[in-house]
């Protein structure tokens, strides 16, 4: 590595708040440069050119092209990546959000800054889907670096809603939702950091599932806010959601989050397909209607649809009663503090995977090079988030982040208390139907009002269709205890079948 001068050491110390004056820098220069010399050996240990080929397939068998027949802007690239083995997903065509690596297929992350980048290895979830028989047929469009819920900040045209092209499909995984809703793919993967699976799933009228944090590995997924990032699914039905998670769930030695999850008490994996195939009868359901899920900020028409669903469940014999989490709305500042700081430090450090292993070196290098050239090409929204995070780190010594971590644990405890004695918590997924594209920037519309809590607390959550208002889909969200994903999916199947035939 290049040697540093004494002046450069002083500047570096100022950036990292290390007290190094000119005299001390002169004394330290030799030692620092000797330490850097030791790191040159890394070039021989892990050269980028030696990245492994995609698991289970000849890279030459993979093809991709610019999308055709894509009226909703849902697809970043068409591709043909065959299964690596036969399994329960035989014949299923899956779209993969374009922040999840598929080897040999460009990954733009919704950003002009990433053009030309092609990952060398599959993400763990892609590898596992292919091993279960799925074919990857599309990379789906998304907001820039998965950083917005609007569906309009990605490079290129907005992602439009298949139910009304003048409205957004939502974000950041809007391409995945629109691709499933329009029949472009059978199922799709997205990522969810504050609701980015459940938001577009609700807007587009499909099932969106976010697992317990750590249940589905993040290896090969571009980081947004690592302590809140989840890989989730988009499907037409809960049986397909269960089939996807059955293929993907389980610890990955390259993902410390999944290893930590596997070491927690209560960790459970498996049983998803059987649970959905044999859901409980409505009379066996215990549902807690979350009081804070409605009220100020939620449209009357959405509240009415939610009340209709609750009445249908009660009429079918379910034990339905109101529960409260008074600290529910604390989730917004908690989530934002965590997100802004983690995003800014991740960007500052060139995607160096300090919090996890198993990152394809070409991915980290590609991100770092993109960051260096990105100055004028990032969207205003993403740039604003980066600057907010930088201010928290630089001007406030990171204290808000520490407070947010402590507050997160208190909020998680409050939700666990509310879940005691019920199978799931129920609330509307979104505060209103999908907004028009020309009004997506309205700050009075809090996209993540009812979804962010599941990311802050890391509890599993799923949205199912709950009829329509004014011809547009409405979603109903259910949250469950950590690692009780199979039970949550089975409860969702029972709820969905009960409310399906209710009035629209």
């Amino acid at each position: 590595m290049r040697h540093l001068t004494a002046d450069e050491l002083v500047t570096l110390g100022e950036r990292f708040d290390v007290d190094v004056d000119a005299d001390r820098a002169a004394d330290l220069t030799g030692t620092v440069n000797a330490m850097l010399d030791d790191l040159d050996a890394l070039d021989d240990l892990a050269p980028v050119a030696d990245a492994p080929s995609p698991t289970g397939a000849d890279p030459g068998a993979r093809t991709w092209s610019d999308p055709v027949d894509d009226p909703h802007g849902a697809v970043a690239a068409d591709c043909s990546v065959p299964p690596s083995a036969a399994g329960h997903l035989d014949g299923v065509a899956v779209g993969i959000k374009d922040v999840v690596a598929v080897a040999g297929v460009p990954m733009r992350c919704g950003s002009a800054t990433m053009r030309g980048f092609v990952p060398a290895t599959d993400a763990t979830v892609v590898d596992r889907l292919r091993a279960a028989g799925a074919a990857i047929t599309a990379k789906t469009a998304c907001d820039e670096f998965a950083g917005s819920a609007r569906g309009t900040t990605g490079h290129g045209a907005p992602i439009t809603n298949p139910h009304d092209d003048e409205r957004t499909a939502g974000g950041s995984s809007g391409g995945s939702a629109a691709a499933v809703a329009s029949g472009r793919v059978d199922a799709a993967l997205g990522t969810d950091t504050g609701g980015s699976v459940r938001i577009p799933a609700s807007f587009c009228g499909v099932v969106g599932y976010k697992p317990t944090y750590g249940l589905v590995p993040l290896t090969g997924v571009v980081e947004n806010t690592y302590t809140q990032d989840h890989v989730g699914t988009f499907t037409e039905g809960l049986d397909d959601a269960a089939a996807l998670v059955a293929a993907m769930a389980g610890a990955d030695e390259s993902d410390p989050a999944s290893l930590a999850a596997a070491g927690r008490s209560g960790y459970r994996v498996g049983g998803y397909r059987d649970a959905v195939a044999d859901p409980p009868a409505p009379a066996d359901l215990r549902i807690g209607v979350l009081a804070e899920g409605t009220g100020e900020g939620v449209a009357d028409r959405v509240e009415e649809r939610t009340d209709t669903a609750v009445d249908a469940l009660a009429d079918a014999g379910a034990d339905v009663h109101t529960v409260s989490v008074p600290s529910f709305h604390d989730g917004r500042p908690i989530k934002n503090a965590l997100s802004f700081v983690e995003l800014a430090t991740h960007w500052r450090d060139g995607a160096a995977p300090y919090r996890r292993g198993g990152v394809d070196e070409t991915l980290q290098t590609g991100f770092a090079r993109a960051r260096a050239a990105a100055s004028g090409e990032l969207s205003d929204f993403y740039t604003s988030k980066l600057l907010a995070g930088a201010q928290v780190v630089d001007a406030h010594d990171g204290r808000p982040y520490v407070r947010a971590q402590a507050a997160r644990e208190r909020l998680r405890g409050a939700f666990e208390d509310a879940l005691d004695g019920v199978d799931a918590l129920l609330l509307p997924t979104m505060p209103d139907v999908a907004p028009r594209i020309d009004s997506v920037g309205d700050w009075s519309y809090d996209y993540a009002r009812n979804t962010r809590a599941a990311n802050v607390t890391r509890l599993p959550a799923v949205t199912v269709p709950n009829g329509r208002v004014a011809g547009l889909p409405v979603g109903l969200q259910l949250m469950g205890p950590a690692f009780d994903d199979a039970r949550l999916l089975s409860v969702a199947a029972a709820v969905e079948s009960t409310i399906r035939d209710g009035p629209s």
Side-chain angles (χ1 to χ4, degrees):
M1 293 187 176
R2 184 180 69 82
H3 282 193
L4 300 175
T5 66
D7 287 344
E8 287 174 322
L9 275 189
V10 172
T11 300
L12 193 63
E14 290 173 350
R15 285 184 55 212
F16 283 83
D17 199 22
V18 178
D19 187 10
V20 181
D21 60 20
D23 291 339
R24 191 178 182 204
D27 293 336
L28 295 178
T29 301
T31 302
V32 171
N33 287 329
M35 291 177 175
L36 294 176
D37 286 341
D38 285 342
L39 303 184
D40 289 337
L42 288 172
D43 292 338
D44 298 323
L45 297 178
V48 172
D50 287 347
S53 296
T55 303
D58 175 5
R62 300 175 178 223
T63 61
W64 69 273
S65 63
D66 290 330
V68 295
D69 186 24
D70 183 31
H72 304 292
V75 177
D78 284 313
C79 60
S80 177
V81 180
S84 59
H88 69 270
L89 295 178
D90 285 353
V92 178
V94 180
I96 304 294
K97 183 177 179 178
D98 204 25
V99 294
V100 180
V102 177
V105 180
M107 184 167 71
R108 302 182 182 97
C109 304
S111 179
T113 68
M114 292 294 285
R115 56 182 170 266
F117 173 67
V118 179
T121 56
D122 283 338
T124 296
V125 290
V126 171
D127 188 40
R128 291 180 178 180
L129 290 176
R130 295 180 57 242
I136 311 305
T137 61
K139 292 301 293 294
T140 54
C142 61
D143 284 88
E144 187 167 40
F145 291 111
S148 168
R150 301 176 181 184
T152 59
T153 68
H155 181 61
I159 306 166
T160 63
N161 195 309
H163 300 276
D164 181 346
D165 252 340
E166 294 184 355
R167 296 178 183 270
T168 180
S172 63
S173 308
S176 293
V180 171
S182 64
R184 193 67 155 68
V185 295
D186 299 323
L189 297 190
T191 57
D192 191 314
T193 304
S196 287
V197 165
R198 290 156 290 148
I199 290 168
S202 179
F203 283 168
C204 293
V206 298
V207 172
Y209 160 68
K210 182 203 78 68
T212 303
Y213 181 77
L215 184 69
V216 174
L218 293 167
T219 313
V221 179
V222 172
E223 183 174 328
N224 183 2
T225 301
Y226 181 58
T227 66
Q228 298 178 97
D229 289 345
H230 302 69
V231 172
T233 65
F234 294 87
T235 56
E236 286 286 351
L238 285 150
D239 53 346
D240 292 330
L244 291 181
V245 72
M248 297 187 297
D252 174 10
E253 64 181 14
S254 295
D255 181 11
S258 72
L259 294 179
R264 285 184 55 188
S265 61
Y267 178 79
R268 292 181 296 282
V269 63
Y272 313 106
R273 299 173 71 199
D274 289 343
V276 170
D278 186 23
D284 294 328
L285 294 176
R286 300 167 301 165
I287 302 295
V289 179
L290 187 63
E292 290 77 16
T294 55
E296 184 178 357
V298 178
D300 290 344
R301 55 190 178 178
V302 170
E303 288 201 23
E304 290 169 3
R305 285 300 316 156
T306 304
D307 289 343
T308 298
V310 170
D311 290 344
L313 289 166
D315 290 345
D319 174 4
V320 183
H321 58 273
T322 301
V323 298
S324 178
V325 178
S327 55
F328 175 81
H329 293 293
D330 293 346
R332 181 169 184 164
I334 295 170
K335 193 271 177 187
N336 286 344
L338 297 173
S339 290
F340 294 164
V341 171
E342 292 181 16
L343 180 65
T345 55
H346 180 68
W347 184 267
R348 177 196 66 192
D349 298 333
Y354 299 131
R355 292 181 288 269
R356 55 174 163 159
V359 174
D360 175 2
E361 186 178 341
T362 61
L363 174 58
Q364 185 274 321
T365 302
F367 185 96
R369 289 173 178 168
R371 179 207 60 171
S375 56
E377 296 189 273
L378 290 173
S379 68
D380 289 347
F381 186 83
Y382 194 79
T383 300
S384 297
K385 291 180 72 172
L386 287 173
L387 293 175
Q391 172 68 3
V392 173
V393 173
D394 288 347
H396 299 280
D397 301 322
R399 288 191 302 273
Y401 184 82
V402 175
R403 292 171 185 159
Q405 288 282 33
R408 153 191 268 168
E409 293 307 306
R410 291 193 295 271
L411 186 63
R412 180 179 59 82
F415 268 89
E416 289 176 344
D417 290 343
L419 281 161
D420 187 21
V422 300
D423 296 309
L425 300 177
L426 179 152
L427 65 165
T429 309
M430 298 302 298
D432 203 351
V433 296
R436 298 177 65 88
I437 289 172
D438 58 12
S439 64
V440 295
D442 181 0
W443 284 101
S444 68
Y445 191 119
D446 184 1
Y447 290 82
R449 181 193 189 280
N450 284 0
T451 58
R452 64 170 64 89
N455 297 87
V456 173
T457 61
R458 308 178 185 181
L459 299 175
V462 60
T463 180
V464 298
N466 183 27
R468 301 187 183 202
V469 295
L472 296 169
V474 174
L476 187 71
Q477 183 179 201
L478 297 163
M479 294 177 62
F483 304 113
D484 212 2
D485 295 69
R487 177 65 178 173
L488 177 64
L489 290 170
S490 72
V491 169
V495 169
E496 194 274 336
S497 65
T498 303
I499 68 176
R500 182 187 304 147
D501 299 323
S504 297

